[in-house]
């Protein structure tokens, strides 16, 4: 099943170059993440120009340039590995948009999440024109076809950085002023949140409760693969696989990284279950952004 790869990536704690967590962390500061080993393919200057093009574009566009080794997840089919990797980073980013990931000079993969975009055909056309050894040309060609404005090359990079820093400082000062004004005018203090679990064992217990709750949701859905359409059956099977994967981890002695993986896996499984239910009822499947984790007091 094509989404099992994403589940395996979600529940593992990858430390090799170009792992999904590094990509998502990099996107917090720029919509273009280039692994340090890939500066020969995409230089810092080229990455900055790409980032300037896609910054604030709607729908959001996120780009990653990774080493080919990021595809080494044990599969012979590297296209399936690429698809699973992009599914994983899109899930962890938890927002709609267009995702473009370059894996060295081996594969470039694109995915539109929760938005309508001809990205697959556009990427295929640009790869035929530029080839995999020219990711900058390919990426700029894709952005051209998506009508993304070109970067303003006349503005020095240091000036852009300075203006951004100045804006952040001004925004921070405004936030402090607003907070003080709010504290002075508030009549009642906001209720304090429940304390977070202090020990690893407490966090494990909360994770077990969450997995058990997801299992109960699967049972109460009353769905079986028999009689379902192909897409709904695939969704249900993915949800069941997510529950099984989370259960295997939680039955051991998971550390905090593994517990975070369990949370992501349960969230993914709930989304696939919701997709199956929507297909059965003739409703549109829920958007990918619905996967954003739900925060519970003291929760997982």
């Amino acid at each position: 099943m094509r989404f099992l790869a994403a589940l395996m990536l979600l529940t593992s704690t990858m430390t090799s170059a170009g792992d999904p967590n590094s990509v998502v962390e990099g996107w917090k500061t720029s919509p273009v993440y280039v692994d340090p080993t890939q500066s020969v393919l995409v230089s810092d200057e080229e990455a900055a120009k790409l980032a300037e093009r896609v910054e604030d574009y709607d729908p959001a566009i996120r780009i990653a340039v990774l080493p080919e080794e990021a595809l080494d997840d044990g599969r012979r089919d590297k296209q399936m590995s690429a698809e699973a990797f992009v599914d994983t980073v899109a899930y962890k980013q938890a927002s709609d948009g267009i995702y473009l990931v370059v894996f060295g000079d081996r594969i470039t993969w694109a995915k539109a999440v929760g938005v309508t975009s001809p990205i697959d055909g556009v990427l295929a056309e640009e790869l035929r024109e530029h080839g995999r050894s020219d990711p900058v040309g390919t990426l700029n060609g894709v952005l051209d076809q998506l009508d993304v404005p070109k970067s303003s090359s006349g503005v020095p990079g240091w000036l852009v950085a300075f203006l951004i820093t100045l804006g952040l400082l001004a925004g921070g000062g405004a936030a402090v002023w607003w907070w003080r004004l709010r504290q002075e005018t508030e009549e009642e203090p906001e209720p304090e949140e429940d304390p977070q679990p202090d020990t690893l064992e407490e966090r494990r217990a909360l994770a077990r409760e969450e997995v058990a709750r997801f299992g109960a949701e699967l049972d109460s859905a009353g769905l079986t693969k028999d009689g379902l359409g192909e897409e709904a059956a695939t969704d249900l099977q993915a949800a069941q696989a997510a529950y099984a994967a989370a259960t295997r981890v939680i039955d051991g002695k998971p550390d905090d990284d593994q517990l975070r993986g369990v949370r992501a896996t349960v969230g993914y499984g709930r989304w696939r279950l919701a997709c199956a239910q929507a297909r059965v009822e003739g409703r549109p499947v829920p958007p990918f952004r619905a996967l954003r984790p739900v925060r519970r007091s003291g929760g997982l």
Side-chain angles (χ1 to χ4, degrees):
M1 183 179 58
R2 67 178 189 173
F3 280 99
L4 274 178
L7 288 171
M8 292 174 66
L9 284 169
L10 284 168
T11 55
S12 64
T13 53
M14 300 175 62
T15 58
S16 60
D19 76 275
N21 291 325
S22 298
V23 175
V24 174
E25 189 66 25
W27 282 340
K28 291 180 180 179
T29 55
S30 171
V32 177
Y33 170 81
V34 180
D35 187 275
T37 64
Q38 300 304 297
S39 59
V40 174
L41 275 180
V42 179
S43 68
D44 291 345
E45 182 180 357
E46 290 165 334
K49 290 180 179 179
L50 287 168
E52 186 179 349
R53 289 194 70 175
V54 302
E55 189 76 50
D56 300 325
Y57 186 76
D58 188 17
I61 298 176
R62 294 174 180 84
I63 298 170
V65 182
L66 309 174
E68 180 184 337
E69 288 76 15
L71 296 171
D72 292 338
D73 60 354
R75 293 177 181 77
R76 294 183 179 179
D77 189 337
K78 297 305 178 185
Q79 289 191 340
M80 181 180 292
S81 297
E83 181 179 12
F85 192 102
V86 177
D87 280 341
T88 300
V89 294
Y91 175 83
K92 287 178 175 288
Q93 183 67 18
S95 63
D96 293 346
I98 296 171
Y99 294 81
L100 288 158
V101 180
V102 178
F103 298 93
D105 58 1
R106 180 69 176 271
I107 292 175
T108 299
W109 201 267
K111 186 178 185 67
V113 178
V115 298
T116 301
S117 172
I119 186 62
D120 291 339
V122 169
L123 176 60
E125 183 178 339
E126 292 301 323
L127 284 171
R128 284 193 296 270
E129 180 174 347
H130 296 281
R132 293 182 175 84
S133 60
D134 181 18
V136 175
T138 299
L139 292 170
N140 275 309
V142 169
L143 298 181
D144 289 342
Q145 290 206 47
L146 295 177
D147 294 325
V148 179
K150 293 185 181 297
S151 61
S152 53
S153 56
V155 180
W158 66 265
L159 179 57
V160 173
F162 173 77
L163 292 174
I164 291 174
T165 303
L166 188 62
L168 290 173
L169 290 174
V176 170
W177 173 84
W178 175 85
W179 175 253
R180 288 179 177 173
L181 180 64
R182 182 172 178 266
Q183 290 294 92
E184 292 172 359
T185 57
E186 258 186 353
E187 294 183 1
E188 296 181 3
E190 292 187 356
E192 296 183 359
E193 294 185 357
D194 293 339
Q196 296 296 310
D198 292 329
T199 67
L200 178 58
E201 190 51 48
E202 288 175 340
R203 291 189 287 274
R204 287 171 178 166
L206 287 170
R208 293 187 192 99
E209 292 176 8
E210 190 70 10
V211 173
R213 191 178 299 115
F214 175 41
E217 292 166 9
L218 277 171
D219 291 339
S220 63
L223 297 179
T224 60
K225 288 186 292 184
D226 297 336
L228 294 180
E230 181 178 353
E231 291 183 333
T234 299
D235 285 326
L236 177 61
Q237 187 174 356
Q240 292 169 337
Y243 173 68
T247 300
R248 283 194 297 272
V249 175
I250 215 64
D251 282 345
K253 293 185 177 180
D255 57 23
D256 280 320
D257 285 340
Q258 290 171 314
L259 290 176
R260 282 189 287 270
V262 167
R263 178 174 59 186
T265 302
V266 169
Y268 176 82
R270 282 188 168 128
W271 174 65
R272 296 305 297 271
L273 176 60
C275 289
Q277 292 172 315
R279 296 185 198 280
V280 169
E281 297 169 9
R283 296 183 285 103
V285 297
F288 202 75
R289 59 182 168 225
L291 297 181
R292 193 172 277 108
V294 176
R295 295 190 180 276
R296 306 176 189 277
S297 59
L300 179 63

